Amino acid sequence: MIPVQGFEGARVAVLGLGRSGLATVRALLAGGATPVCWDDQQQARDRAEAEGFELRDLHRQGAFDDIATLVTSPGIPHLYPQPNPVIRAALQAGVPVDNDIGLFFASLPAQGWDMLDQPPKVVAITGSNGKSTTVALLHHILESVGRDSQMAGNIGRGVLDIDPPGEAGVVVLELSSYQTELARALTPDVAILTNLSPDHLDRHAGLGGYFAAKRRLFAEGGPDRAIIGIDEDEGLFLAGQMSQASSDDRVIRVATGRKLSGPGWQVFARKGFLSEMRKGRQVGAIDLRQMMGLPGAHNHQNACAAYAAARVLGLAPRVIEAALATYPGLPHRSQTVAEVAGVRYVNDSKATNLDSAAKALSAFKNIRWICGGLEKEGGLGALGGQTGSVRKAYVIGREAAGFAMQLDVEAEVCTTMERAVACAVADAEPGDVVLLAPAAASFDQYDNFEQRGDDFISEVHKQLG
């Protein structure tokens, strides 16, 4: 646990009592604060009360009269599309609002760190797609060389629930735009932006607000090193803002599908090969094509970002290459779940938006594509021209018929995962890939994308016997 500092003897309100909320309450207590808790869900309040935490209805008049700070869970809107009533009441009372990420960065440095030969480091990773894979991949690389590493944030443990890192320890954080937008403290040693594509636009009042939330990690965080994907204009712009000159190696530019050149520090993947360039010279190269845990250009982009971070942390190219070769992949992200009779079955349930689905489709050939679900804003127009490898689509979801009509490939309306997998298995021929890449949210039929992916895996195993 990381005890929260700076609130000794103060009362701190905590709104939202899920995994991160309860960890925040415990960390506040450990730091000498008095937390008061609220969640609109009775079940969550019951869990907090069972641990002996003080409950207070933060909706009632005067609830913030004795409160020093409100700590809110990231999923609760604080500005757009409109503030949660509790957050608005706190702001009207002049009470600062923060989240667990802000408390973590303000509380992590410990006495005695200046006596360590290698103080701990924090690597914070954000972006639209590939965050979890990049976090898990860097964590895997570090563990493979015996380096103390912990994953936290949106993956692994809550940030305040981790163990205090010691000599040469590394904390690898996955941070969403919800988290970076609100955190009052953001001070990573290394910050990474994987990429940027439209997502959560209602929460940020458009693409500009979404980019601004991501940008805070760099502009306000002041990392020692910034690793920035420049395949989109926003990343290119951010890299330019963070650089003092073209040779400034505090910024590492990452790209896929093209070679980068110049006097600075670049890592790029092209035709399946990763290259590291410094001062105009190649200093590292890795063949990614046969690495089963990293299929497709999108995973090669993740590999470039993780490689760059590992280099910043002092690892040699050949050490990183050996670790990449043993990376097993994350569940629900280009996860091979079976390979029978020449047909490969891949679970990419995490492909919940068009950009991530397009990247999954580009990673394979001869695809039997299972897609559909709760369609996101903007329709499926952005998938036009991205389906050249699809032999047939099998559409699931409550609005499967409408979803299928927007596709530019042969599509069968299946509605359920059971029928979609059965039809795909029946149609598949040697050399085909049955790919779940929904291009949609899961909430019309499932609680989350993990449940949807597990259903796919279960049906595949059932159909294959």
Side-chain angles (χ1 to χ4, degrees), residues 132-181:
S132 296
T133 297
T134 304
V135 168
L137 185 53
L138 178 58
H139 175 69
H140 173 79
I141 293 168
L142 293 167
E143 284 201 321
S144 73
V145 298
R147 193 90 170 256
D148 176 38
S149 175
Q150 298 180 79
M151 296 188 296
N154 279 358
I155 188 172
R157 298 158 72 180
V159 289
L160 294 170
D161 194 39
I162 67 170
D163 300 323
E167 179 84 32
V170 182
V171 179
V172 189
L173 300 182
E174 178 187 339
L175 299 182
S176 72
S177 58
Y178 294 2
Q179 294 165 312
T180 58
E181 183 177 46

Side-chain angles (χ1 to χ4, degrees), residues 67-369:
I67 297 298
T69 290
L70 170 66
V71 183
T72 181
S73 294
I76 300 173
H78 56 269
L79 185 56
Y80 301 115
Q82 61 184 10
N84 179 278
V86 170
I87 294 177
R88 181 185 280 115
L91 294 172
Q92 288 174 336
V95 173
V97 180
D98 204 349
N99 60 17
D100 62 331
I101 302 301
L103 297 182
F104 167 81
F105 278 113
S107 305
L108 180 65
Q111 291 183 353
W113 274 20
D114 55 344
M115 304 297 292
L116 299 177
D117 291 333
Q118 297 184 64
K121 301 287 187 183
V122 177
V123 180
I125 299 171
T126 193
S128 298
N129 299 302
K131 297 187 296 296
S132 296
T133 297
T134 304
V135 168
L137 185 53
L138 178 58
H139 175 69
H140 173 79
I141 293 168
L142 293 167
E143 284 201 321
S144 73
V145 298
R147 193 90 170 256
D148 176 38
S149 175
Q150 298 180 79
M151 296 188 296
N154 279 358
I155 188 172
R157 298 158 72 180
V159 289
L160 294 170
D161 194 39
I162 67 170
D163 300 323
E167 179 84 32
V170 182
V171 179
V172 189
L173 300 182
E174 178 187 339
L175 299 182
S176 72
S177 58
Y178 294 2
Q179 294 165 312
T180 58
E181 183 177 46
L182 188 61
R184 296 176 70 87
L186 286 168
T187 54
D189 298 283
V190 182
I192 298 176
L193 175 71
T194 57
N195 49 57
L196 196 92
S197 61
D199 206 1
H200 309 304
L201 299 188
D202 59 336
R203 176 67 180 262
H204 300 293
L207 184 59
Y210 178 52
F211 174 52
K214 301 285 190 186
R215 180 181 175 277
R216 287 192 76 241
L217 182 64
F218 299 83
E220 300 188 28
D224 295 332
R225 282 265 168 43
I227 299 166
I228 301 175
I230 61 169
D231 288 338
E232 296 85 30
D233 288 340
E234 291 85 358
L236 188 63
F237 176 77
L238 179 60
Q241 283 197 311
M242 298 298 293
S243 301
Q244 295 297 320
S246 58
S247 59
D248 188 351
D249 68 359
R250 294 174 303 170
V251 176
I252 305 175
R253 291 168 170 82
V254 169
T256 55
R258 60 193 173 101
K259 180 179 180 179
L260 298 179
S261 60
W265 193 349
Q266 300 103 10
V267 180
F268 60 89
R270 183 169 176 265
K271 296 182 179 179
F273 288 87
L274 179 153
S275 297
E276 178 189 4
M277 304 289 292
R278 298 191 72 172
K279 299 180 180 179
R281 299 179 59 186
Q282 181 169 298
V283 296
I286 297 176
D287 184 352
L288 300 173
R289 294 173 298 175
Q290 301 306 313
M291 296 187 178
M292 290 293 290
L294 296 167
H298 60 306
N299 277 307
H300 294 173
Q301 182 183 62
N302 301 333
C304 286
Y307 173 95
R311 293 287 283 139
V312 168
L313 294 170
L315 276 62
R318 291 300 165 217
V319 170
I320 301 170
E321 180 178 15
L324 292 178
T326 61
Y327 177 65
L330 272 178
H332 313 297
R333 298 160 177 87
S334 298
Q335 175 193 15
T336 297
V337 299
E339 194 159 356
V340 176
V343 179
R344 185 176 175 184
Y345 297 84
V346 178
N347 166 28
D348 203 338
S349 184
K350 184 62 170 65
T352 59
N353 59 41
L354 302 188
D355 185 64
S356 56
K359 288 176 178 176
L361 292 175
S362 70
F364 304 101
K365 298 179 179 179
N366 303 320
I367 297 171
R368 303 284 176 177
W369 179 28

Side-chain angles (χ1 to χ4, degrees), residues 4 6-12 28-29 31-35 66 68:
V4 173
F7 295 99
E8 293 83 355
R11 300 179 77 81
V12 178
L28 283 163
L29 278 170
T34 301
D66 61 346

